[in-house]
Structures are given as structure tokens and as C-alpha cells.
Amino acid sequence: MVLCPYVFVISKHDIAPLRLQPSEVASAHWVSLRALLSPSQRTVEFVDVANRYSRDLRRWHNHFLLGEMVFAAVRLIPSESSYSTSQSGFIPAESKRVSAASKLRRWWRNDPLPAPSLDVPLHLWGLTLGVMADFLDLLPPHNAIRLWIYPTFTAYDLQFILWVMSYRFKARKEELLLQGIADMGSPITLEDGVQAVPVRNESFAKPQLVDADGPHYDAGIEGLSLGRMARQPKRGSRSDAVGSLLEGYYDYIRRSIQVTMLTRTAVAATLLFYFIKRRRRI
Amino acid sequence: MSSKDPVPPNLIHHLRSVLIDLCENPYPYVSNPPTTPKRASVALILRISPDYDYWPPKEAEESYVNIQGGSVRERLERFFAQDWVKHGDPEVLFIKRSSRKEDKWSSHVAFPGGRRDPEDEDDRAAAVRESCEEVGIDLSEENAISVGNLAQRVVTSSWGKTA
């Protein structure tokens, strides 16, 4: 699917109240750009992996083995919210049969009521964060992409193996993005071919590259400043930064899962062998 | 007297520059790869929330500025020249999608938008139609300025395979 984002500005102060389509929209929120630009609202989103990959990997890779996936996220602080109040679940209903475990849990937490939907924090992550980051990066301090992290996992061994295996991949991406090539390996996003583009990041003090166009500042993967503020007029060499960073990354995820599984199996087999040997000696 | 947490004074100024730049330098059209014929659009809808001390004038008042008519750039210039806009707080609209399952409320934060229908004139029209259907917001020239687009992207799902 090709996703096409469009930007609109509401030109009137007093537009009609929003009318939410209940089958599609649970709630709508106006969020200040200041809140989105604020580093203090950066967080992570934990996503249960099982649903996302069960088609691709073997069945026995389940939630228990892999843990959850961790994605970059921004907590939203709305200034104004509307809700589809007619939707079931807006006012939490007490289920007719409350299990003993659930009652115990509530007693332990000293929380007599199930949480209403309004208490669930709003997290912006994934594709929508990618689109928003592209826009935010155009505004000072031009570090929206800095807030983005490569997805990883909660399981520590998998996290480590993924980090090791993807280290050079990420370093290569950083290099390419430093040169300003925003859309490597993806000719469908180009019209004019790949162009090297000087990157200018005003939030860094020291210029590190100087060429005929003048000094350019070292952006680094954490201080990327691609997009409009990059001093390049050529169309076709601008693409979505997050998409570019992710391109090819999921291969590393797949491979690191395989390596982790093999490693765990090897370790388990070794331990089993050791204990059997010990028992035989006794 | 409570202390104010003011909008950084340059934010509106930079936003104006960014939007003018976006309208004059659109991102390129990305064609569909052969395996994925679908296209979808989303709307990044901005509004300016007025400051208490700089309230926008009503239509009948003298200071009211009609920003309809003219090029996108002209309309943006007129819009951002207004006092209430200069002192306002820019905001963006997000929606939280309904969950399909009955026992779960939690679901994803997204922009209004959806798949492009055959009846849509172009990708932008799809964004306008979906926004109207989903949140009842009218993005016609009377209420909104259509600034331009952001980078189009091929969306993958299932670990990097195209959607």
C-alpha cells in the first residue's frame, strides 16, 4: 500500500463540532505541537508480538519466548478530546461473572473499578509517528527523528543479539543519512534517482564537513535533520526518514530471532547434558 | 495570578515558513509497486488554538479577515498575518481507532484517513473524504487551507513484506 499524507490548516476558529463515526473512530484529540516537540513526552510502546508475526515464523515462537516488541512512542497530551460515547465499552460494564482472580487483583491494587477508556494513555507510535516525525522534523529544533528508536524486544538476550547483528546496518544507515540520501535501496520512491544531499542541522554547533556549498553540520542518527531544512532543491531525493531507516531492518529482526532460538536451545541442551552427567556420577 | 507557559515565540513563525515551503515544494508522487495496487491517504489537520488574551474577531467585526480566494501561499500569508494566529498555539488532530473486538477498548492512534476509492479524484480527495466521513470535519476551501503533502511511502506489514 502507498500511504499519502496531506497537510491542512483549519482557517476558521469556530468550525462545527466533530462528528465521530462510531464504527471507525473511538475518540478524537487535538494535541499541541509543543507537546509533540517536547522530549519529556518521549516514551515506548510495548506491543504483543504474537499477532504480528505468527504468519511468518514457526508456531512455537510465542509470546512467552519472545516477550513484547518495543517501539518508539510519544505520549499525547490533548487540549481537547471528543469521544464516541455511544460505543460499548466507553462506560466500562461490570461483567456478570467476575472471576476470583480478577477480584483478588482489584483488592490487591485497592482499585474497586475497572479503568475507563479515558484513563488509558494515548501513545503515538508506528506509521503515524513516522509521518508526524517527518513533519515535526521541519520545525526547530529539527530533532524529531532523534526521538525515534529502532524497534526491539523486551527479552534481554534477543535484544542483545539484535543489537549486535544490526550494529553495522545501523551505522551504514547513519552514514547514508549523513550524506543526505534519504531513500536508499528504494527506487520506487524516487523520480530523479538518488542524489547526495547536504544536510544542515542548526542545533549542532560544530560544522564537520565543509565543501563548496559551505559548512554542513554533523547530524548523527540521533540528530537527523532531513526534509525541508536540508539545503537541497531536488525533488525525488526526499522521502520519509523513518521508512528509510527501517528499510531492511526487519530482516535483521527475523535473523536475530532465529539466532536467539538456536542459542537458547544450545544452552538448554548443554545444561541438560551436564545435569544428566552429574546424576549418573552420583 | 497563575504563571503562563507561553508558546515559544518563534513556533508560529517557523510553522508559517514550513507550511509555505510545503505548498511550494510538494513531495513527489510515489507509484505503486506491482504487488501492491492499493493507495491510502491520511490528513494531518492543523488548527490554531487562540490565546485567551488574543481572541479571534467574529465575522461581523471590523477586524475579521476573510482568507478565502487567491493562491495557497497568499491564503497562508493572510492567515498567519492575523494577530490571534500569531499568538495562538498550533495543534494537530489525532483519532483513536475503534477496536474491532468487543472486549478491548485499546487501539491505535492515527490520523483521519483511509483507502482511496475509485470515485476519488486523487489522493488528496481521498484524505478530504475520509476526514469528513470519520470525524465530520469539512476541509473545503471555506474552512481549511490545503497546504500540500508529506513524503509518500510504501507501507509494509508482516516484517517488511509489502502490505
Side-chain angles (χ1 to χ4, degrees):
Chain A
M1 181 180 75
V2 176
L3 184 71
C4 314
Y6 286 87
V7 180
F8 300 88
V9 175
I10 302 295
S11 54
K12 281 184 176 174
H13 160 245
D14 50 355
I15 55 163
L18 298 180
R19 184 186 168 202
L20 306 185
Q21 190 180 31
S23 57
E24 292 292 330
V25 179
S27 56
H29 309 269
W30 290 102
V31 179
S32 167
L33 286 186
R34 283 184 299 140
L36 293 167
L37 290 164
S38 162
S40 64
Q41 299 310 311
R42 305 301 167 210
T43 180
V44 289
E45 175 80 2
F46 297 100
V47 179
D48 189 349
V49 203
N51 301 332
R52 294 171 72 82
Y53 69 84
S54 55
R55 276 184 286 158
D56 293 324
L57 301 179
R58 282 166 286 181
R59 289 279 170 92
W60 55 271
H61 288 177
N62 58 32
H63 175 89
F64 177 72
L65 289 178
L66 291 186
E68 291 177 304
M69 271 199 88
V70 183
F71 292 91
V74 177
R75 188 176 66 171
L76 300 181
I77 305 174
S79 65
E80 188 184 327
S81 301
S82 310
Y83 295 86
S84 284
T85 54
S86 58
Q87 255 199 333
S88 68
F90 176 70
I91 296 165
E94 186 73 29
S95 59
K96 290 184 181 150
R97 265 180 288 142
V98 181
S99 69
S102 150
K103 276 187 194 161
L104 190 67
R105 229 180 293 136
R106 283 203 217 151
W107 166 81
W108 180 256
R109 283 196 224 138
N110 198 24
D111 175 17
L113 298 172
S117 58
L118 280 73
D119 280 358
V120 175
L122 289 169
H123 280 178
L124 171 66
W125 65 283
L127 186 58
T128 315
L129 176 59
V131 172
M132 193 71 233
D134 273 354
F135 182 79
L136 291 174
D137 204 58
L138 306 175
L139 295 164
H142 306 293
N143 64 356
I145 309 296
R146 174 206 293 265
L147 319 161
W148 189 83
I149 58 160
Y150 277 94
T152 184
F153 292 84
T154 49
Y156 290 118
D157 56 347
L158 179 51
Q159 216 180 95
F160 177 72
I161 288 170
L162 177 58
W163 179 79
V164 167
M165 287 180 73
S166 64
Y167 188 82
R168 278 174 59 190
F169 166 84
K170 290 180 194 170
R172 264 201 314 272
K173 291 280 180 175
E174 175 172 353
E175 234 175 70
L176 286 170
L177 281 163
L178 254 181
Q179 291 167 23
I181 301 171
D183 43 5
M184 44 270 171
S186 170
I188 52 175
T189 62
L190 298 178
E191 286 184 0
D192 299 332
V194 176
Q195 300 276 348
V197 158
V199 173
R200 194 172 76 183
N201 186 335
E202 290 158 10
S203 60
F204 284 88
K206 261 197 274 175
Q208 291 186 3
L209 308 161
V210 184
D211 62 21
D213 287 340
H216 305 299
Y217 298 93
D218 181 1
I221 205 92
E222 292 180 3
L224 289 171
S225 174
L226 291 172
R228 296 295 164 164
M229 292 309 165
R231 202 153 36 91
Q232 50 79 25
K234 299 253 180 218
R235 296 180 190 185
S237 53
R238 300 188 319 253
S239 163
D240 72 298
V242 165
S244 309
L245 292 172
L246 276 174
E247 182 128 18
Y249 183 68
Y250 284 114
D251 283 339
Y252 286 88
I253 289 185
R254 258 188 288 256
R255 275 186 264 160
S256 62
I257 289 175
Q258 288 164 0
V259 168
T260 306
M261 290 302 137
L262 283 171
T263 311
R264 286 178 184 176
T265 310
V267 167
T270 311
L271 286 171
L272 192 67
F273 179 69
Y274 172 73
F275 281 119
I276 290 173
K277 260 193 106 174
R278 269 196 80 177
R279 281 205 72 179
R280 285 214 186 122
R281 267 200 232 130
I282 295 167
Chain B
M1 195 158 93
S2 65
S3 63
K4 268 179 145 181
D5 186 22
V7 180
N10 289 332
L11 182 57
I12 288 284
H13 169 76
H14 286 292
L15 180 64
R16 176 189 161 278
S17 307
V18 163
L19 294 176
I20 287 174
D21 188 48
L22 277 177
C23 85
E24 299 198 317
N25 298 295
Y27 281 84
Y29 177 85
V30 170
S31 320
N32 288 70
T35 48
T36 60
K38 299 180 227 172
R39 292 185 81 82
S41 299
V42 291
L44 206 158
I45 303 170
L46 296 164
R47 77 170 184 184
I48 305 295
S49 181
D51 183 89
Y52 181 85
D53 297 322
Y54 296 90
W55 206 249
K58 293 203 175 65
E59 209 163 321
E61 291 175 38
E62 229 184 88
S63 43
Y64 182 82
V65 175
N66 185 344
I67 64 132
Q68 288 184 49
S71 69
V72 176
R73 179 174 185 145
E74 285 168 0
R75 296 181 68 205
L76 283 170
E77 304 264 25
R78 251 180 284 152
F79 179 71
F80 280 96
Q82 297 176 93
D83 225 22
W84 72 269
V85 173
K86 284 187 195 167
H87 291 93
D89 191 10
E91 298 177 343
V92 61
L93 182 66
F94 292 101
I95 60 168
K96 196 169 191 202
R97 294 224 165 267
S98 298
S99 173
R100 302 292 178 187
K101 292 180 191 168
E102 281 181 9
D103 57 343
K104 263 170 74 175
W105 182 261
S106 60
S107 55
H108 295 187
V109 171
F111 292 119
R115 295 247 180 93
R116 179 173 165 183
D117 280 351
E119 76 205 24
D120 292 319
E121 196 182 316
D122 52 25
D123 293 317
R124 198 196 69 93
V128 171
R129 178 185 54 78
E130 286 283 343
S131 301
C132 185
E133 287 177 5
E134 291 187 336
V135 296
I137 199 164
D138 176 15
L139 295 174
S140 64
E141 189 166 312
E142 195 190 323
N143 288 319
I145 306 172
S146 172
V147 176
N149 65 357
L150 292 174
Q152 298 185 351
R153 61 211 67 204
V154 179
V155 173
T156 59
S157 67
S158 270
W159 303 88
K161 298 187 185 136
T162 34

